[in-house]
Amino acid sequence: MSDYGHELWFGSFITPTAHPPQAPVELARTSERAGLDLVSFQDHPYQSAFQDTWTLMSYVAARTERIRISGNVLSLPLRPPAVLARAAASLDRLTGGRVELGIGAGAFWDGIVAMGGRRLEPAQAVRAVEEAVDVIRGLWATDETGPLRVTGEFYTVNGAKRGPAPAHRIPIRIGAYKPRMLRLTGRIADGWLPSLGFLPEGPASLRAMNEQIDEAASAAGREPAAVSRLLNLSGRFTSGAGGGLLQGTPGDWAEQIADLALQYGVSGFILASDEPADLNLFGQEVAPRARELVQSERVT
């Protein structure tokens, strides 16, 4: 059992479709009205059917009032970390502290190269993420004296002025599946953000992957609970008896999500759906019931 005791929260994972351009914006507003805590968007700058994710996030920020906003996950090979740090801090200040940061090492390398990015081997990509996090946090650290200097293999900052500081401590979460990236997550990240559909053995994969994160965190002198565990979900709501994981009524979903929280330590649940009805059910029925179930189990 790996319940880290974190408060549960719920979000949406929306396709940043370019046609029609207002569709993802309206889904973000639906997410907010449904009571969800976060709205997130995938980031594939080489995909011509998608809008630019950061531009969309900024527009959504201006069209919403409460909901937090994140990339899921931002493609670091096409988003220089020094520029990303200032962009994130600026949007966080403009929104009163509603920005969160999900980053990934890059996966679709042909598309990345086509857009002018550099193709990296797996070990290189891990080192690049670590350097990027150093740059981002360094530019946010306005309480430190002197300009920022980071000399890395992939990212170098030579005397950049720090700031602006974000309105709040922006969590940095890493999309990770393989051992090297999981260990990096344990060492330096605020959160881990995988997708359930990419886990080779489904939820059962989470136990061993959590252990790798926990071991790396402990070796770095951190508490394993310092790394929150998130999960992108997809499924189907039905009116009757369900047919498996996330295939059933909102009550079925709530029970299964409570189990993921209590058994595998997941505290952030993000539904990948572009259907307003799904987002409403997730926010209005699944989320409150799952919170009740977890709280009841924790106090007994």
Side-chain angles (χ1 to χ4, degrees):
M1 186 170 179
S2 301
D3 181 10
Y4 299 97
H6 297 153
E7 181 180 352
L8 267 59
W9 58 265
F10 296 80
S12 61
F13 186 8
I14 294 169
T15 307
T17 182
H19 307 288
Q22 289 294 328
V25 180
E26 290 308 310
L27 288 170
R29 287 163 58 83
T30 296
S31 300
E32 182 168 70
R33 289 192 296 267
L36 294 174
D37 303 292
L38 176 137
V39 58
S40 66
F41 304 93
Q42 57 185 291
D43 183 40
H44 299 288
Y46 36 79
Q47 173 57 267
S48 61
F50 292 170
Q51 301 184 74
D52 173 69
T53 293
W54 195 268
T55 305
L56 177 60
M57 287 170 55
S58 300
Y59 190 89
V60 164
R63 295 292 308 278
T64 55
E65 297 178 356
R66 174 195 56 80
I67 200 164
R68 306 194 304 265
I69 303 161
S70 180
N72 190 345
V73 290
L74 297 174
S75 180
L76 272 178
L78 292 173
R79 298 199 179 274
V83 177
L84 179 58
R86 297 211 199 281
S90 299
L91 190 57
D92 195 55
R93 294 171 70 91
L94 288 166
T95 60
R98 290 196 284 135
V99 170
E100 303 186 356
L101 200 57
I103 58 176
F108 300 97
W109 291 105
D110 289 346
I112 289 169
V113 171
M115 289 287 287
R118 174 182 174 184
R119 188 185 303 272
L120 300 179
E121 297 300 321
Q124 293 178 312
V126 175
R127 295 197 299 274
V129 170
E130 185 164 13
E131 292 177 11
V133 172
D134 286 342
V135 170
I136 292 168
R137 287 187 174 145
L139 285 173
W140 289 344
T142 56
D143 56 337
E144 296 187 15
T145 59
L148 177 65
R149 300 183 188 278
V150 175
T151 302
E153 180 181 357
F154 304 98
Y155 302 112
T156 295
V157 176
N158 188 17
K161 294 182 179 179
R162 303 177 191 268
H168 83 304
R169 188 183 187 280
I170 298 177
I172 298 178
R173 297 164 178 141
I174 296 177
Y177 298 93
K178 299 296 180 64
R180 278 180 292 206
M181 194 66 80
L182 290 169
R183 291 194 294 269
L184 177 66
T185 299
R187 290 200 310 273
I188 69 171
D190 299 302
W192 175 39
L193 178 53
S195 293
L196 182 59
F198 292 160
L199 300 179
E201 299 176 1
S205 300
L206 294 170
R207 192 175 305 281
M209 297 169 89
N210 271 332
E211 289 175 356
Q212 293 181 71
I213 293 171
D214 292 350
E215 291 170 3
S218 296
R222 310 178 70 200
E223 290 292 332
V227 184
S228 63
R229 320 298 159 116
L230 290 66
L231 195 60
N232 291 321
L233 308 170
S234 61
R236 182 172 63 92
F237 288 108
T238 65
S239 58
L245 182 62
L246 305 181
Q247 303 285 329
T249 66
D252 294 330
W253 279 58
E255 291 178 2
Q256 293 167 355
I257 283 174
D259 184 67
L260 289 169
L262 295 167
Q263 297 298 322
Y264 301 107
V266 181
S267 58
F269 298 90
I270 306 174
L271 177 62
S273 177
D274 295 332
E275 295 295 330
D278 290 348
L279 300 178
N280 282 319
L281 286 172
F282 196 58
Q284 296 171 5
E285 298 190 31
V286 175
R289 180 57 179 156
R291 289 188 176 106
E292 289 175 1
L293 291 169
V294 169
Q295 182 61 26
S296 176
E297 185 67 25
R298 284 174 175 171
V299 299
T300 56

